[in-house]
Amino acid sequence: MADSIIVAHPSFTVGALNRRIFGTFVEHMGRCVYTGIYQPDHPSADEHGFRQDVAELVEELGPTLVRYPGGNFVSNYRWEDGVGPKEERPRRLDLAWRSIETNQVGTDDFLGWCERMGIEPMLAVNLGTRGLQEAVDYLDYVNGEDTTLAGQRAANGREEPWGVALWCLGNEMDGPWQMGHMTAGEYGRVAEEVANAFKRFDQSLELVACGSSNSGMPTFGAWEHEVLSRSLHLVDHISAHVYYEPIDGDLVSFLAVAENMDRFIDSVTATADAVAAARKIDKRIGVSFDEWNVWYQSRFDGEGNLPVREAPPLIEDTYTVADAVVVGSLLITLMRHTDRVAMACQAQLVNIIAPIRTEPDGPAWRQTIFHPFALTSKYAKGDVLDLRVQSPTIDTPAFGPVDQVWSTATYDEEQGDLALFLVNRGLDDDVAVTVDLTAFAEMGLVEHLLLHEDDHTLTNGAGQERVVPKAGQSRLDHNTLTITLPAVSWHCVRLTTRLDRA
């Protein structure tokens, strides 16, 4: 068994934990909306048609933010189709996923669900097949007061403005697969004009410009530079998207993909800071990591081969223990960048590469990746600590030598709660971790939860949730915490200075 040493100190922090990091994503794609969060004829449906069995799992998952309605879907979306009486809403062909969109769920329906769930919404506007005027009209409908469109919203049942603060200016506009995709110069111009109009409407709005669709795009870096050169004075954040899967069976590198996300964030922030310096604008652009997850894209034949159907099952990946460990490591990475990651959305919430799965007329259940998200969202609070870590290394074909232990911690000084989040990214060897807590007041060990199975290919299914958090092996001796990390495992260790709660 290898050894690792971690030193934690309450004065050494990255910054306050940004709770928007625990976001999610609902797109009109496949069965995310229909038979996912919404199914009026389901036994658990509420008076609005939304599934309460799913709502209960969403509440347990603990997302703070949700992006809507896309995704690729938004670049062909007419927001007007999804408001007003349901019986009058048109059926449209969604060109992104070659599906029939019934528009039975639209803006007011979704924002009402967010309000009832206590989740902050982030809306995206169509800058693919539509443009400035339609985007401003949408904003006016959602947030306006004493206007014709605000009156239309009131007639549809919502008198008060929705007050949506977060807006995405399109989606993946550099991608040839996107309806109306653009060059960086074309998009930068559009983003600047839409952002200018939105800020005229309400200076307090937070606007997200489209970054590269992924870091593998040939224009990555150059795209961000040109877009921000046009729009930095008006936008607040720039998007980043990434999905991971094992490449050519390289599981060792897959377990270490947090290295890629870590470098991705550094690259985007460096570009944004360079543009700000060149333009002599004292502004720190945030990274909106509004799509991230494990996605086995190699199993998906592509949208061009899809038959046209209504709410078809699409990319409903079933996740393993190893996938959950990777998801846990990506959450750790996002927290380690809490000073620059403005928000993050795991894509997607239900059925589509999701932590929650459903059967149309049956149950909903937790996938393996549900657990690291739910426990991190629940127990991470306060400040993110800047840990000092000495770890054994593992060799990866994709990233070279990397630390076997990937970790972060949060400390809530007011409550006296310390939470450690750790991953053993090794495929074969366990690690014994010693955590030096000398700088803290006397602590008690509250709980140690781990996600690990001897068979890291185990999955969950309807009525078979075999992979669940279990008690881990740890010991607290005065100010020294010792933790055993089995190979391919994720951990949440909770301590407190309030010894009556330990």
Side-chain angles (χ1 to χ4, degrees):
M1 182 181 296
D3 293 324
S4 173
I5 299 173
I6 296 176
V7 179
H9 196 294
S11 298
F12 300 155
T13 66
V14 179
L17 175 66
N18 178 9
R19 296 288 303 168
R20 281 177 169 173
I21 284 173
F22 305 115
T24 188
F25 180 28
V26 168
E27 181 173 3
H28 281 254
M29 173 186 178
R31 298 195 309 113
C32 185
V33 175
Y34 305 112
T35 72
I37 63 171
Y38 179 84
Q39 188 181 352
D41 60 353
H42 193 271
S44 74
D46 64 12
E47 66 271 28
H48 306 283
F50 287 84
R51 288 180 57 155
Q52 289 307 287
D53 60 341
V54 173
E56 290 172 4
L57 289 181
V58 172
E59 186 175 7
E60 181 184 344
L61 184 69
T64 56
L65 175 77
V66 59
R67 181 172 175 245
Y68 176 87
N72 296 350
F73 172 84
V74 77
S75 293
N76 184 51
Y77 181 53
R78 296 169 54 88
W79 67 265
E80 303 96 320
D81 291 346
V83 300
K86 289 181 183 288
E87 64 274 12
E88 298 177 10
R89 298 182 189 180
R91 294 169 62 87
R92 301 280 192 193
L93 173 61
D94 163 39
L95 297 176
W97 303 111
R98 290 176 50 80
S99 301
I100 297 299
E101 173 54 53
T102 66
N103 286 298
Q104 291 304 288
V105 171
T107 299
D108 293 318
D109 311 292
F110 181 75
L111 293 178
W113 180 81
C114 290
E115 190 171 73
R116 294 189 297 276
M117 295 296 299
I119 305 174
E120 181 183 12
M122 172 197 286
L123 292 182
V125 297
N126 178 359
L127 297 184
T129 60
R130 312 188 88 185
L132 174 60
Q133 185 61 63
E134 292 86 356
V136 172
D137 287 348
Y138 190 27
L139 174 63
D140 190 8
Y141 179 88
V142 173
N143 284 0
E145 298 182 76
D146 197 26
T147 66
T148 297
L149 284 167
Q152 181 183 343
R153 184 193 65 233
N156 289 336
R158 176 71 181 198
E159 186 170 344
E160 293 297 315
W162 286 108
V164 175
L166 292 172
W167 293 82
C168 298
L169 306 182
N171 174 77
E172 294 187 358
M173 298 308 300
D174 63 330
W177 56 85
Q178 205 73 206
M179 298 301 106
H181 79 279
M182 305 174 185
T183 66
E186 291 168 338
Y187 174 71
R189 167 73 173 165
V190 172
E192 181 183 21
E193 291 304 320
V194 175
N196 178 54
F198 273 42
K199 291 290 188 177
R200 294 285 186 95
F201 183 96
D202 183 352
Q203 190 67 32
S204 70
L205 295 177
E206 290 185 60
L207 307 180
V208 181
C210 288
S212 297
S213 302
N214 59 76
S215 60
M217 295 294 288
T219 55
F220 173 63
W223 170 278
E224 282 78 2
H225 192 281
E226 188 165 356
V227 167
L228 288 176
S229 292
R230 291 297 302 259
S231 62
L232 180 136
H233 61 295
L234 292 166
V235 302
D236 304 281
H237 316 293
I238 190 159
S239 69
H241 294 176
V242 73
Y243 296 101
Y244 296 109
E245 65 175 315
I247 304 300
D248 297 326
D250 182 6
L251 186 57
V252 173
S253 295
F254 176 58
L255 290 169
V257 292
E259 298 291 328
N260 176 269
M261 177 184 270
D262 192 60
R263 299 170 195 180
F264 193 170
I265 295 168
D266 286 343
S267 296
V268 173
T269 55
T271 301
D273 290 346
V275 173
R279 294 194 56 185
K280 299 179 175 58
I281 299 176
D282 185 16
K283 186 174 186 179
R284 279 164 60 91
I285 292 290
V287 177
S288 178
F289 229 118
D290 46 46
E291 288 189 33
W292 69 270
N293 205 351
V294 171
W295 174 12
Y296 286 82
Q297 297 184 63
S298 58
R299 302 172 184 170
F300 180 53
D301 290 335
E303 57 274 12
N305 299 316
L306 296 173
V308 175
R309 290 183 291 171
E310 181 181 319
L314 294 180
I315 60 171
E316 298 188 0
D317 284 356
T318 298
Y319 289 113
T320 66
V321 174
D323 296 329
V325 171
V326 169
V327 165
S329 74
L330 297 176
L331 286 164
I332 288 171
T333 308
L334 293 168
M335 288 193 290
R336 286 167 63 135
H337 288 276
T338 190
D339 57 331
R340 293 306 296 265
V341 175
M343 65 271 306
C345 302
Q346 186 186 40
Q348 293 183 18
L349 179 60
V350 185
N351 287 326
I352 306 290
I353 52 171
I356 298 170
R357 288 279 299 275
T358 70
E359 290 183 354
D361 298 309
W365 68 93
R366 306 165 189 83
Q367 292 233 66
T368 62
I369 65 171
F370 180 100
H371 298 293
F373 190 109
L375 292 172
T376 305
S377 177
K378 182 175 182 179
Y379 293 122
K381 52 189 175 179
D383 291 329
V384 178
L385 300 185
D386 186 5
L387 302 178
R388 294 295 177 264
V389 182
Q390 177 182 312
S391 168
T393 60
I394 51 176
D395 291 323
T396 67
F399 311 112
V402 302
D403 285 347
Q404 185 172 352
V405 176
W406 192 245
S407 61
T408 193
T410 60
Y411 180 56
D412 184 344
E413 184 176 11
E414 183 177 345
Q415 294 297 317
D417 292 333
L418 175 68
L420 289 158
F421 302 93
L422 311 98
V423 166
N424 180 350
R425 305 190 289 186
L427 187 57
D428 301 308
D429 297 329
D430 297 355
V431 181
V433 178
T434 301
V435 185
D436 183 348
L437 302 173
T438 305
F440 294 86
E442 184 181 359
M443 283 196 163
L445 180 61
V446 178
E447 187 177 32
H448 175 186
L449 296 170
L450 89 158
L451 209 63
H452 167 76
E453 298 290 341
D454 291 338
D455 179 0
H456 58 70
T457 67
L458 281 181
T459 62
N460 288 345
Q464 279 193 320
E465 292 193 22
R466 300 176 294 178
V467 180
V468 297
K470 300 175 182 177
Q473 296 181 36
S474 55
R475 183 180 73 256
L476 181 63
D477 185 8
H478 298 292
N479 290 317
T480 300
L481 175 68
T482 304
I483 313 168
T484 300
L485 309 184
V488 193
S489 63
W490 173 90
H491 302 255
C492 170
V493 183
R494 299 169 52 218
L495 304 101
T496 183
T497 59
R498 297 177 60 179
L499 299 180
D500 59 311
R501 296 167 54 189

